[in-house]
Amino acid sequence: MDAVISTDALTKRYGRARGIENVDLVVQKGDIFGFIGPNGAGKSTLIRTLLGLIRPSGGSAQVFGLDILKHKKEILRRIGYMPSEASYYPRMRVKDVLRLSAHLRRMDCSKEAQRLCDWFDLDMNRQVSALSFGNRKKVSIVAALQHNPTLLILDEPTSGLDPLIQRAFWDLVTQRNNEGTTIFLSSHVLSEVQHHCRHAAIIREGRIVVSDAVESLSRTTARRVTLRGVQELPTLPPGVLETHHSQNEVGVLYSGDMKALMNSLQKVPFTDITITEPELEEIFFHFYEKAGART
């Protein structure tokens, strides 16, 4: 597979403030890649650097095998970008925004724009000043997709969308990906990354903590053990990553020897036990805690 996005020690600093630091990242052609982190972790900084909206302080990056500084215009022709927040001229109608976006690319996107507006039940004749936040997000989605880009870069695309529109969005993204479009999206909604992305990277304080297949990130020796009917937290063997205790229930994220755990639980009175694989959210926080302990 060919790399659509590749970075080598990519760094962006804002004076003394942190942006991104020594980011090494590869996104392969045809992938749906999730970029995970809370607000302020550096997700938008990386995206804006890749798009040439801000200049890196160090390192390098390539998109479609082209240097982001030397070939900015050529790269942008093939990208659809949806920012986390978008502002429009308030007196413009939806169709005016979309026509302007297409005109800047010197393309006629009217048929695809109409199809996408129908997909999202978006009235092209409404003024953008009269649109709700969710409908303004729809305008951003259509503007990013109407020219059929080969790479979609989406920054927090589903925030502000109701569940039905989120489903329509993911159906559309999956359709485009099946047609060959590479998807790179930032998100702090871990469940949608787990359900829709094939690979993901976790960023913490501007640095990549881990980057791997979502299946590999989710596949772990750790298990979520839940005991019910327990009066107090039992003494457990080494390997406990996290515990919680509430209302006669004890939850343990455990990565040690399961036989040792079961032996220790024999001494504890409980009414029920469940052992499951942890969700990506729990693994995410585990990686964050490990990265925090190293800094």
Side-chain angles (χ1 to χ4, degrees), residues 118-276:
D118 291 343
W119 183 289
F120 288 111
D121 193 24
L122 180 62
D123 186 350
M124 297 182 75
N125 291 309
R126 292 283 302 278
Q127 280 195 339
V128 292
S129 60
L131 297 180
S132 65
F133 179 77
N135 279 323
R136 291 198 301 273
K137 295 280 285 194
K138 293 180 188 178
V139 177
S140 293
I141 296 170
V142 175
L145 285 164
Q146 65 176 348
H147 59 289
N148 292 308
T150 54
L151 170 63
L152 264 178
I153 296 182
L154 310 170
D155 196 357
E156 301 285 356
T158 60
S159 64
L161 298 179
D162 66 51
L164 289 177
I165 299 302
Q166 287 187 31
R167 179 181 295 180
F169 167 81
W170 282 113
D171 287 345
L172 181 60
V173 165
T174 301
Q175 181 188 95
R176 286 297 182 90
N177 181 249
N178 289 337
E179 294 169 356
T181 303
T182 303
I183 316 292
F184 180 83
L185 67 97
S186 75
S187 180
H188 62 264
V189 183
L190 301 176
S191 59
E192 69 180 14
V193 172
Q194 185 166 21
H195 293 151
H196 299 287
C197 297
R198 300 190 192 102
H199 293 83
I202 297 174
I203 187 169
R204 182 184 193 275
E205 295 182 354
R207 295 178 180 270
I208 299 296
V209 175
V210 64
S211 180
D212 207 339
V214 169
E215 183 180 356
S216 297
L217 291 175
S218 301
R219 190 191 307 122
T220 172
T221 58
R223 293 293 181 268
R224 167 59 64 187
V225 181
T226 304
L227 299 173
R228 298 176 183 84
V230 181
Q231 299 300 319
E232 59 183 28
L233 190 67
T235 301
L236 299 174
V240 175
L241 305 176
E242 171 192 310
T243 61
H244 76 264
H245 181 206
S246 63
Q247 296 183 344
N248 297 328
E249 182 176 295
V250 171
V252 178
L253 187 61
Y254 181 77
S255 66
D257 187 328
M258 289 301 294
K259 288 184 179 179
L261 176 65
M262 300 310 294
N263 287 336
S264 66
L265 293 180
Q266 289 180 2
K267 306 170 186 177
V268 181
F270 58 87
T271 59
D272 189 27
I273 181 172
T274 58
I275 302 176
T276 60

Side-chain angles (χ1 to χ4, degrees), residues 46-80:
L46 175 65
I47 287 174
R48 291 167 184 162
T49 304
L50 291 174
L51 293 170
L53 300 177
I54 54 179
R55 193 175 182 86
S57 307
S60 62
Q62 293 184 329
V63 178
F64 308 122
L66 303 172
D67 184 88
I68 60 170
L69 297 178
K70 297 178 181 178
H71 304 280
K72 177 180 174 179
K73 289 185 178 180
E74 186 175 347
I75 289 169
L76 292 179
R77 287 193 193 101
R78 301 169 61 187
I79 290 178

